[in-house]
Amino acid sequence: MGYMVSPEKENRLLEKMERLGIKDEDIVEKFIRSGGPGGQHVNKTSTCVYLKHIPTGIEVKCQKERSQALNRYFARKILVEKIEEMILGKESERQKEIEKLKRQKRKRSKRAKEKILMLKHHQSEKKRLRSFRPDIEEF
């Protein structure tokens, strides 16, 4: 298709689309004139890409880059992720990342806090004892 990305990335996207049963015929693709930062180039060309997956009704709009080809790639990638999330639900990669972040941000239990504090005290005690040497007299 020629998205101005490496062949590996393009192949990975096409494989994922095939695995999820997404066909190019089911996708409506439109190009819209972009706005915002990017200068005259963006204002003159239609680099913003709009995709709609007809069977699911999912719509995606992408204007990350100044290049239409790159925006086509990113829009398809986003569309595939959304469809995957809809189909797989909890098992989707994006959902797994969200769950991982939630676990990382979760508050520690009281017991875990106490354990960490105990280890810190133990470490500080070791350091304090290193500096104390009775065989050396201070002046």
Side-chain angles (χ1 to χ4, degrees):
M1 280 188 195
Y3 296 119
M4 287 179 56
V5 291
S6 65
E8 300 93 50
K9 283 185 179 180
E10 194 171 326
N11 289 335
R12 250 184 281 145
L13 179 66
L14 293 172
E15 284 170 13
K16 204 169 192 178
M17 285 174 70
E18 194 176 305
R19 198 169 2 111
L20 293 169
I22 304 167
K23 298 175 192 147
D24 259 347
E25 304 88 58
D26 295 340
I27 299 173
V28 174
E29 185 174 40
K30 293 179 186 174
F31 303 102
I32 307 161
R33 188 154 297 161
S34 300
Q40 279 185 335
H41 178 77
V42 163
N43 300 330
K44 286 185 200 172
T45 57
S46 299
T47 53
C48 183
V49 177
Y50 166 85
L51 297 178
K52 181 175 182 177
H53 187 243
I54 298 166
T56 58
I58 295 175
E59 298 176 352
V60 171
K61 205 171 169 185
C62 180
Q63 82 176 51
K64 271 186 185 178
E65 301 291 328
R66 285 177 59 175
S67 158
Q68 189 183 75
L70 276 175
N71 284 333
R72 287 181 73 207
Y73 169 77
F74 285 124
R76 274 181 172 66
K77 191 174 174 184
I78 294 166
L79 182 74
V80 167
E81 285 173 2
K82 284 188 173 190
I83 292 171
E84 181 183 43
E85 192 176 331
M86 189 186 80
I87 293 171
L88 299 177
K90 287 269 185 195
E91 287 85 45
S92 73
E93 288 174 31
R94 188 161 172 247
Q95 199 62 37
K96 284 180 184 176
E97 284 177 29
I98 291 168
E99 292 299 321
K100 183 179 177 185
L101 283 171
K102 278 183 184 176
R103 281 194 306 274
Q104 288 173 346
K105 290 182 179 182
R106 193 169 47 204
K107 273 189 166 182
R108 287 196 174 102
S109 68
K110 194 173 183 179
R111 192 172 183 187
K113 284 181 192 174
E114 287 172 358
K115 186 178 179 183
I116 290 169
L117 199 59
M118 186 186 71
L119 290 170
K120 279 186 175 182
H121 285 304
H122 181 69
Q123 190 67 22
S124 67
E125 187 65 21
K126 279 198 303 190
K127 283 188 171 187
R128 192 183 64 74
L129 290 173
R130 276 187 217 143
S131 65
F132 178 70
R133 295 190 49 194
D135 57 327
I136 301 174
E137 290 182 29
E138 291 185 35
F139 296 100

Short mmCIF file of all heavy atoms in Angstrom, two decimals, residues 59-113:
data_model
loop_
_atom_site.label_atom_id
_atom_site.label_comp_id
_atom_site.label_asym_id
_atom_site.label_seq_id
_atom_site.Cartn_x
_atom_site.Cartn_y
_atom_site.Cartn_z
N GLU A 59 -15.27 5.03 13.95
CA GLU A 59 -14.69 6.10 13.16
C GLU A 59 -13.39 6.57 13.78
O GLU A 59 -13.28 6.65 15.00
CB GLU A 59 -15.67 7.28 13.07
CG GLU A 59 -16.97 6.94 12.39
CD GLU A 59 -17.95 8.10 12.41
OE1 GLU A 59 -17.69 9.12 13.08
OE2 GLU A 59 -18.99 7.98 11.74
N VAL A 60 -12.43 6.90 12.92
CA VAL A 60 -11.12 7.36 13.38
C VAL A 60 -10.70 8.54 12.51
O VAL A 60 -10.91 8.53 11.29
CB VAL A 60 -10.07 6.23 13.27
CG1 VAL A 60 -8.67 6.75 13.52
CG2 VAL A 60 -10.38 5.11 14.22
N LYS A 61 -10.11 9.53 13.14
CA LYS A 61 -9.58 10.70 12.43
C LYS A 61 -8.15 10.90 12.90
O LYS A 61 -7.89 10.87 14.11
CB LYS A 61 -10.43 11.91 12.81
CG LYS A 61 -10.47 13.01 11.83
CD LYS A 61 -11.53 13.99 12.31
CE LYS A 61 -11.49 15.26 11.53
NZ LYS A 61 -12.43 16.24 12.07
N CYS A 62 -7.21 11.09 11.96
CA CYS A 62 -5.81 11.21 12.36
C CYS A 62 -5.12 12.32 11.57
O CYS A 62 -5.18 12.35 10.34
CB CYS A 62 -5.08 9.88 12.13
SG CYS A 62 -3.35 9.96 12.59
N GLN A 63 -4.45 13.22 12.30
CA GLN A 63 -3.64 14.23 11.65
C GLN A 63 -2.36 14.46 12.45
O GLN A 63 -1.93 15.57 12.69
CB GLN A 63 -4.43 15.52 11.41
CG GLN A 63 -4.55 16.48 12.55
CD GLN A 63 -5.28 17.74 12.14
OE1 GLN A 63 -6.36 17.69 11.57
NE2 GLN A 63 -4.71 18.88 12.44
N LYS A 64 -1.75 13.33 12.88
CA LYS A 64 -0.51 13.38 13.66
C LYS A 64 0.64 14.02 12.89
O LYS A 64 1.41 14.78 13.44
CB LYS A 64 -0.08 11.96 14.04
CG LYS A 64 -0.64 11.44 15.31
CD LYS A 64 0.00 10.09 15.60
CE LYS A 64 -0.58 9.43 16.81
NZ LYS A 64 -0.01 8.13 17.06
N GLU A 65 0.78 13.61 11.64
CA GLU A 65 1.94 14.00 10.84
C GLU A 65 1.54 14.95 9.71
O GLU A 65 0.37 15.10 9.41
CB GLU A 65 2.59 12.75 10.23
CG GLU A 65 3.06 11.74 11.26
CD GLU A 65 4.25 12.22 12.07
OE1 GLU A 65 5.08 12.98 11.52
OE2 GLU A 65 4.33 11.84 13.25
N ARG A 66 2.56 15.53 9.05
CA ARG A 66 2.30 16.39 7.89
C ARG A 66 2.12 15.56 6.62
O ARG A 66 1.66 16.06 5.62
CB ARG A 66 3.47 17.37 7.71
CG ARG A 66 3.45 18.48 8.73
CD ARG A 66 4.63 19.39 8.59
NE ARG A 66 4.69 20.00 7.26
CZ ARG A 66 5.58 20.91 6.91
NH1 ARG A 66 6.48 21.32 7.77
NH2 ARG A 66 5.58 21.41 5.69
N SER A 67 2.49 14.29 6.71
CA SER A 67 2.41 13.42 5.54
C SER A 67 1.10 12.63 5.55
O SER A 67 0.72 12.02 6.54
CB SER A 67 3.59 12.44 5.57
OG SER A 67 3.32 11.30 4.82
N GLN A 68 0.41 12.64 4.40
CA GLN A 68 -0.85 11.91 4.27
C GLN A 68 -0.63 10.40 4.41
O GLN A 68 -1.40 9.71 5.05
CB GLN A 68 -1.50 12.22 2.93
CG GLN A 68 -2.90 11.68 2.80
CD GLN A 68 -3.47 11.93 1.43
OE1 GLN A 68 -3.09 11.26 0.48
NE2 GLN A 68 -4.38 12.90 1.33
N ALA A 69 0.47 9.91 3.82
CA ALA A 69 0.77 8.48 3.87
C ALA A 69 0.97 8.00 5.30
O ALA A 69 0.43 6.95 5.70
CB ALA A 69 2.00 8.17 3.03
N LEU A 70 1.71 8.76 6.10
CA LEU A 70 1.93 8.38 7.50
C LEU A 70 0.61 8.44 8.28
O LEU A 70 0.33 7.57 9.10
CB LEU A 70 2.95 9.31 8.15
CG LEU A 70 4.41 8.95 7.94
CD1 LEU A 70 5.31 10.01 8.53
CD2 LEU A 70 4.74 7.60 8.53
N ASN A 71 -0.19 9.46 8.01
CA ASN A 71 -1.49 9.57 8.69
C ASN A 71 -2.41 8.41 8.32
O ASN A 71 -3.18 7.94 9.15
CB ASN A 71 -2.15 10.90 8.37
CG ASN A 71 -1.52 12.04 9.14
OD1 ASN A 71 -0.97 11.85 10.22
ND2 ASN A 71 -1.60 13.24 8.59
N ARG A 72 -2.31 7.93 7.08
CA ARG A 72 -3.11 6.76 6.68
C ARG A 72 -2.70 5.55 7.51
O ARG A 72 -3.55 4.78 7.98
CB ARG A 72 -2.90 6.45 5.19
CG ARG A 72 -3.57 7.44 4.27
CD ARG A 72 -3.35 7.08 2.83
NE ARG A 72 -4.16 5.91 2.50
CZ ARG A 72 -3.85 5.04 1.55
NH1 ARG A 72 -2.75 5.18 0.84
NH2 ARG A 72 -4.63 4.02 1.31
N TYR A 73 -1.40 5.37 7.71
CA TYR A 73 -0.88 4.24 8.49
C TYR A 73 -1.36 4.36 9.95
O TYR A 73 -1.90 3.41 10.52
CB TYR A 73 0.65 4.20 8.43
CG TYR A 73 1.26 3.24 9.42
CD1 TYR A 73 1.25 1.87 9.19
CD2 TYR A 73 1.83 3.69 10.60
CE1 TYR A 73 1.78 0.98 10.09
CE2 TYR A 73 2.38 2.81 11.52
CZ TYR A 73 2.35 1.46 11.26
OH TYR A 73 2.88 0.58 12.16
N PHE A 74 -1.16 5.55 10.56
CA PHE A 74 -1.53 5.73 11.96
C PHE A 74 -3.03 5.58 12.17
O PHE A 74 -3.47 5.00 13.17
CB PHE A 74 -1.06 7.10 12.48
CG PHE A 74 0.42 7.16 12.74
CD1 PHE A 74 1.20 8.13 12.13
CD2 PHE A 74 1.04 6.25 13.57
CE1 PHE A 74 2.57 8.18 12.36
CE2 PHE A 74 2.40 6.29 13.81
CZ PHE A 74 3.17 7.26 13.20
N ALA A 75 -3.82 6.08 11.23
CA ALA A 75 -5.28 5.96 11.35
C ALA A 75 -5.69 4.49 11.32
O ALA A 75 -6.53 4.06 12.11
CB ALA A 75 -5.96 6.74 10.23
N ARG A 76 -5.10 3.72 10.41
CA ARG A 76 -5.42 2.29 10.34
C ARG A 76 -5.00 1.58 11.62
O ARG A 76 -5.70 0.72 12.13
CB ARG A 76 -4.73 1.66 9.13
CG ARG A 76 -5.56 1.80 7.88
CD ARG A 76 -4.89 1.16 6.68
NE ARG A 76 -5.77 1.12 5.53
CZ ARG A 76 -6.21 2.19 4.87
NH1 ARG A 76 -5.86 3.39 5.27
NH2 ARG A 76 -7.00 2.06 3.82
N LYS A 77 -3.84 1.95 12.13
CA LYS A 77 -3.33 1.34 13.37
C LYS A 77 -4.30 1.61 14.53
O LYS A 77 -4.64 0.70 15.29
CB LYS A 77 -1.94 1.91 13.68
CG LYS A 77 -1.21 1.20 14.76
CD LYS A 77 0.20 1.75 14.89
CE LYS A 77 0.88 1.11 16.08
NZ LYS A 77 2.21 1.66 16.32
N ILE A 78 -4.77 2.84 14.64
CA ILE A 78 -5.72 3.21 15.71
C ILE A 78 -7.03 2.46 15.53
O ILE A 78 -7.60 1.93 16.48
CB ILE A 78 -5.94 4.74 15.72
CG1 ILE A 78 -4.66 5.46 16.12
CG2 ILE A 78 -7.08 5.11 16.68
CD1 ILE A 78 -4.68 6.96 15.85
N LEU A 79 -7.50 2.38 14.28
CA LEU A 79 -8.74 1.68 13.98
C LEU A 79 -8.64 0.20 14.37
O LEU A 79 -9.54 -0.35 15.02
CB LEU A 79 -9.08 1.81 12.49
CG LEU A 79 -10.38 1.17 12.04
CD1 LEU A 79 -11.57 2.00 12.52
CD2 LEU A 79 -10.42 1.02 10.54
N VAL A 80 -7.52 -0.43 14.03
CA VAL A 80 -7.31 -1.84 14.35
C VAL A 80 -7.29 -2.03 15.87
O VAL A 80 -7.89 -2.98 16.39
CB VAL A 80 -6.00 -2.36 13.71
CG1 VAL A 80 -5.59 -3.70 14.28
CG2 VAL A 80 -6.16 -2.46 12.20
N GLU A 81 -6.63 -1.12 16.60
CA GLU A 81 -6.59 -1.22 18.07
C GLU A 81 -7.99 -1.12 18.67
O GLU A 81 -8.34 -1.86 19.58
CB GLU A 81 -5.68 -0.13 18.64
CG GLU A 81 -4.21 -0.40 18.44
CD GLU A 81 -3.33 0.77 18.86
OE1 GLU A 81 -3.85 1.80 19.35
OE2 GLU A 81 -2.11 0.67 18.69
N LYS A 82 -8.78 -0.18 18.14
CA LYS A 82 -10.14 -0.01 18.67
C LYS A 82 -11.00 -1.24 18.39
O LYS A 82 -11.77 -1.68 19.26
CB LYS A 82 -10.80 1.23 18.05
CG LYS A 82 -10.30 2.51 18.65
CD LYS A 82 -11.11 3.69 18.15
CE LYS A 82 -10.72 4.95 18.89
NZ LYS A 82 -11.64 6.05 18.61
N ILE A 83 -10.88 -1.79 17.19
CA ILE A 83 -11.66 -2.99 16.84
C ILE A 83 -11.21 -4.16 17.70
O ILE A 83 -12.02 -4.93 18.20
CB ILE A 83 -11.55 -3.29 15.33
CG1 ILE A 83 -12.26 -2.20 14.52
CG2 ILE A 83 -12.14 -4.66 15.01
CD1 ILE A 83 -12.05 -2.27 13.03
N GLU A 84 -9.89 -4.29 17.89
CA GLU A 84 -9.35 -5.37 18.72
C GLU A 84 -9.87 -5.25 20.15
O GLU A 84 -10.27 -6.24 20.75
CB GLU A 84 -7.82 -5.32 18.72
CG GLU A 84 -7.18 -6.42 19.54
CD GLU A 84 -5.68 -6.31 19.60
OE1 GLU A 84 -5.16 -5.20 19.77
OE2 GLU A 84 -5.02 -7.35 19.48
N GLU A 85 -9.89 -4.04 20.66
CA GLU A 85 -10.39 -3.82 22.02
C GLU A 85 -11.86 -4.19 22.12
O GLU A 85 -12.30 -4.77 23.10
CB GLU A 85 -10.20 -2.35 22.40
CG GLU A 85 -10.41 -2.07 23.86
CD GLU A 85 -10.10 -0.63 24.21
OE1 GLU A 85 -9.27 -0.01 23.55
OE2 GLU A 85 -10.73 -0.13 25.15
N MET A 86 -12.61 -3.87 21.08
CA MET A 86 -14.05 -4.20 21.07
C MET A 86 -14.26 -5.71 21.01
O MET A 86 -15.10 -6.26 21.73
CB MET A 86 -14.72 -3.53 19.86
CG MET A 86 -16.21 -3.62 19.88
SD MET A 86 -16.92 -3.00 18.36
CE MET A 86 -16.68 -4.41 17.29
N ILE A 87 -13.47 -6.40 20.18
CA ILE A 87 -13.64 -7.84 19.99
C ILE A 87 -13.11 -8.62 21.20
O ILE A 87 -13.80 -9.47 21.75
CB ILE A 87 -12.92 -8.32 18.71
CG1 ILE A 87 -13.63 -7.75 17.47
CG2 ILE A 87 -12.89 -9.84 18.62
CD1 ILE A 87 -12.88 -7.97 16.17
N LEU A 88 -11.88 -8.32 21.59
CA LEU A 88 -11.24 -9.10 22.65
C LEU A 88 -11.56 -8.61 24.05
O LEU A 88 -11.45 -9.37 25.01
CB LEU A 88 -9.71 -9.11 22.45
CG LEU A 88 -9.21 -9.71 21.14
CD1 LEU A 88 -7.70 -9.58 21.05
CD2 LEU A 88 -9.62 -11.16 21.00
N GLY A 89 -11.91 -7.35 24.19
CA GLY A 89 -12.24 -6.81 25.51
C GLY A 89 -11.05 -6.81 26.43
O GLY A 89 -10.06 -6.14 26.18
N LYS A 90 -11.12 -7.60 27.50
CA LYS A 90 -10.08 -7.63 28.53
C LYS A 90 -8.73 -8.13 28.00
O LYS A 90 -7.69 -7.76 28.52
CB LYS A 90 -10.51 -8.53 29.69
CG LYS A 90 -11.58 -7.94 30.55
CD LYS A 90 -10.97 -7.17 31.68
CE LYS A 90 -12.04 -6.67 32.63
NZ LYS A 90 -11.56 -5.66 33.52
N GLU A 91 -8.74 -9.00 26.98
CA GLU A 91 -7.50 -9.59 26.51
C GLU A 91 -6.72 -8.70 25.53
O GLU A 91 -5.63 -9.04 25.14
CB GLU A 91 -7.76 -10.94 25.82
CG GLU A 91 -8.11 -12.06 26.79
CD GLU A 91 -9.59 -12.08 27.12
OE1 GLU A 91 -10.40 -11.97 26.20
OE2 GLU A 91 -9.92 -12.19 28.31
N SER A 92 -7.29 -7.56 25.11
CA SER A 92 -6.60 -6.72 24.13
C SER A 92 -5.33 -6.12 24.75
O SER A 92 -5.25 -5.91 25.96
CB SER A 92 -7.51 -5.60 23.63
OG SER A 92 -7.69 -4.62 24.62
N GLU A 93 -4.35 -5.82 23.90
CA GLU A 93 -3.07 -5.30 24.36
C GLU A 93 -3.25 -3.98 25.08
O GLU A 93 -2.64 -3.74 26.12
CB GLU A 93 -2.12 -5.12 23.17
CG GLU A 93 -1.63 -6.43 22.60
CD GLU A 93 -0.80 -6.24 21.34
OE1 GLU A 93 -0.14 -5.20 21.21
OE2 GLU A 93 -0.83 -7.14 20.49
N ARG A 94 -4.09 -3.12 24.54
CA ARG A 94 -4.31 -1.80 25.14
C ARG A 94 -4.93 -1.95 26.53
O ARG A 94 -4.55 -1.26 27.47
CB ARG A 94 -5.22 -0.99 24.23
CG ARG A 94 -5.38 0.44 24.64
CD ARG A 94 -5.89 1.29 23.48
NE ARG A 94 -6.20 2.60 23.96
CZ ARG A 94 -7.42 3.12 24.03
NH1 ARG A 94 -8.44 2.43 23.58
NH2 ARG A 94 -7.63 4.33 24.49
N GLN A 95 -5.87 -2.86 26.65
CA GLN A 95 -6.53 -3.09 27.93
C GLN A 95 -5.52 -3.63 28.94
O GLN A 95 -5.56 -3.25 30.11
CB GLN A 95 -7.71 -4.06 27.75
CG GLN A 95 -8.71 -4.02 28.87
CD GLN A 95 -9.38 -2.67 29.02
OE1 GLN A 95 -9.67 -2.00 28.05
NE2 GLN A 95 -9.62 -2.26 30.24
N LYS A 96 -4.62 -4.50 28.48
CA LYS A 96 -3.59 -5.04 29.37
C LYS A 96 -2.69 -3.92 29.88
O LYS A 96 -2.31 -3.91 31.06
CB LYS A 96 -2.75 -6.09 28.63
CG LYS A 96 -3.46 -7.42 28.49
CD LYS A 96 -2.59 -8.41 27.77
CE LYS A 96 -3.32 -9.73 27.52
NZ LYS A 96 -2.54 -10.67 26.74
N GLU A 97 -2.33 -2.99 29.00
CA GLU A 97 -1.48 -1.86 29.41
C GLU A 97 -2.20 -1.00 30.45
O GLU A 97 -1.60 -0.57 31.43
CB GLU A 97 -1.12 -1.00 28.20
CG GLU A 97 -0.07 -1.61 27.32
CD GLU A 97 0.21 -0.77 26.08
OE1 GLU A 97 0.06 0.47 26.14
OE2 GLU A 97 0.59 -1.36 25.06
N ILE A 98 -3.50 -0.76 30.23
CA ILE A 98 -4.28 0.04 31.17
C ILE A 98 -4.32 -0.63 32.54
O ILE A 98 -4.14 0.02 33.57
CB ILE A 98 -5.70 0.30 30.62
CG1 ILE A 98 -5.64 1.22 29.40
CG2 ILE A 98 -6.64 0.85 31.69
CD1 ILE A 98 -6.93 1.32 28.62
N GLU A 99 -4.57 -1.95 32.54
CA GLU A 99 -4.61 -2.70 33.81
C GLU A 99 -3.26 -2.66 34.52
O GLU A 99 -3.21 -2.51 35.74
CB GLU A 99 -5.01 -4.16 33.55
CG GLU A 99 -6.44 -4.34 33.10
CD GLU A 99 -7.47 -3.86 34.11
OE1 GLU A 99 -7.28 -4.05 35.32
OE2 GLU A 99 -8.47 -3.27 33.67
N LYS A 100 -2.17 -2.76 33.76
CA LYS A 100 -0.83 -2.72 34.34
C LYS A 100 -0.58 -1.37 35.01
O LYS A 100 -0.07 -1.31 36.13
CB LYS A 100 0.22 -2.97 33.25
CG LYS A 100 1.63 -3.03 33.78
CD LYS A 100 2.62 -3.29 32.68
CE LYS A 100 4.04 -3.27 33.21
NZ LYS A 100 5.02 -3.41 32.13
N LEU A 101 -0.97 -0.28 34.34
CA LEU A 101 -0.81 1.05 34.91
C LEU A 101 -1.63 1.21 36.18
O LEU A 101 -1.18 1.81 37.16
CB LEU A 101 -1.20 2.13 33.90
CG LEU A 101 -0.17 2.41 32.82
CD1 LEU A 101 -0.77 3.34 31.76
CD2 LEU A 101 1.07 3.04 33.40
N LYS A 102 -2.84 0.66 36.18
CA LYS A 102 -3.68 0.73 37.38
C LYS A 102 -3.02 0.03 38.55
O LYS A 102 -3.04 0.52 39.68
CB LYS A 102 -5.05 0.10 37.11
CG LYS A 102 -6.01 1.01 36.40
CD LYS A 102 -7.36 0.32 36.23
CE LYS A 102 -8.32 1.17 35.44
NZ LYS A 102 -9.59 0.48 35.19
N ARG A 103 -2.43 -1.15 38.27
CA ARG A 103 -1.75 -1.89 39.34
C ARG A 103 -0.56 -1.11 39.87
O ARG A 103 -0.31 -1.09 41.08
CB ARG A 103 -1.28 -3.26 38.82
CG ARG A 103 -2.35 -4.31 38.75
CD ARG A 103 -1.77 -5.70 38.58
NE ARG A 103 -0.86 -5.84 37.46
CZ ARG A 103 -1.20 -6.10 36.20
NH1 ARG A 103 -2.49 -6.23 35.90
NH2 ARG A 103 -0.31 -6.22 35.25
N GLN A 104 0.17 -0.46 38.98
CA GLN A 104 1.35 0.29 39.40
C GLN A 104 0.98 1.50 40.24
O GLN A 104 1.70 1.86 41.17
CB GLN A 104 2.14 0.76 38.17
CG GLN A 104 2.88 -0.37 37.47
CD GLN A 104 3.52 0.09 36.16
OE1 GLN A 104 3.22 1.15 35.65
NE2 GLN A 104 4.41 -0.73 35.64
N LYS A 105 -0.15 2.14 39.92
CA LYS A 105 -0.55 3.36 40.62
C LYS A 105 -1.34 3.09 41.89
O LYS A 105 -1.56 4.00 42.69
CB LYS A 105 -1.38 4.25 39.68
CG LYS A 105 -0.55 4.86 38.58
CD LYS A 105 -1.39 5.75 37.71
CE LYS A 105 -0.54 6.38 36.63
NZ LYS A 105 -1.30 7.30 35.79
N ARG A 106 -1.75 1.84 42.07
CA ARG A 106 -2.57 1.48 43.23
C ARG A 106 -1.80 1.76 44.53
O ARG A 106 -0.59 1.59 44.59
CB ARG A 106 -2.92 0.00 43.12
CG ARG A 106 -4.00 -0.45 44.05
CD ARG A 106 -4.49 -1.84 43.72
NE ARG A 106 -3.41 -2.78 43.48
CZ ARG A 106 -3.52 -3.88 42.75
NH1 ARG A 106 -4.66 -4.17 42.19
NH2 ARG A 106 -2.50 -4.68 42.59
N LYS A 107 -2.53 2.17 45.57
CA LYS A 107 -1.90 2.44 46.86
C LYS A 107 -1.37 1.15 47.47
O LYS A 107 -1.99 0.11 47.34
CB LYS A 107 -2.92 3.05 47.82
CG LYS A 107 -3.04 4.54 47.73
CD LYS A 107 -3.91 5.03 48.87
CE LYS A 107 -3.80 6.51 49.04
NZ LYS A 107 -4.60 6.99 50.17
N ARG A 108 -0.25 1.29 48.17
CA ARG A 108 0.31 0.12 48.85
C ARG A 108 -0.50 -0.18 50.10
O ARG A 108 -1.03 0.72 50.75
CB ARG A 108 1.75 0.41 49.26
CG ARG A 108 2.71 0.43 48.10
CD ARG A 108 4.13 0.31 48.63
NE ARG A 108 5.05 0.19 47.51
CZ ARG A 108 5.81 1.18 47.05
NH1 ARG A 108 5.74 2.37 47.62
NH2 ARG A 108 6.63 0.99 46.06
N SER A 109 -0.51 -1.45 50.48
CA SER A 109 -1.22 -1.83 51.70
C SER A 109 -0.41 -1.37 52.91
O SER A 109 0.79 -1.08 52.82
CB SER A 109 -1.40 -3.34 51.75
OG SER A 109 -0.14 -3.97 51.93
N LYS A 110 -1.06 -1.32 54.05
CA LYS A 110 -0.39 -0.88 55.28
C LYS A 110 0.79 -1.79 55.59
O LYS A 110 1.86 -1.33 55.99
CB LYS A 110 -1.41 -0.89 56.42
CG LYS A 110 -0.97 -0.16 57.64
CD LYS A 110 -2.10 -0.07 58.66
CE LYS A 110 -1.68 0.72 59.87
NZ LYS A 110 -2.75 0.84 60.85
N ARG A 111 0.59 -3.08 55.38
CA ARG A 111 1.64 -4.06 55.66
C ARG A 111 2.85 -3.85 54.75
O ARG A 111 4.00 -3.92 55.19
CB ARG A 111 1.06 -5.46 55.47
CG ARG A 111 1.93 -6.55 55.99
CD ARG A 111 1.21 -7.87 55.93
NE ARG A 111 2.02 -8.92 56.49
CZ ARG A 111 1.71 -10.18 56.44
NH1 ARG A 111 0.58 -10.57 55.88
NH2 ARG A 111 2.50 -11.08 56.96
N ALA A 112 2.59 -3.56 53.48
CA ALA A 112 3.68 -3.33 52.52
C ALA A 112 4.46 -2.08 52.89
O ALA A 112 5.69 -2.05 52.81
CB ALA A 112 3.12 -3.22 51.11
N LYS A 113 3.73 -1.02 53.31
CA LYS A 113 4.39 0.22 53.73
C LYS A 113 5.29 -0.03 54.94
O LYS A 113 6.41 0.47 55.00
CB LYS A 113 3.35 1.29 54.09
CG LYS A 113 2.68 1.93 52.92
CD LYS A 113 1.71 2.98 53.42
CE LYS A 113 0.81 3.47 52.32
NZ LYS A 113 -0.24 4.37 52.83
#
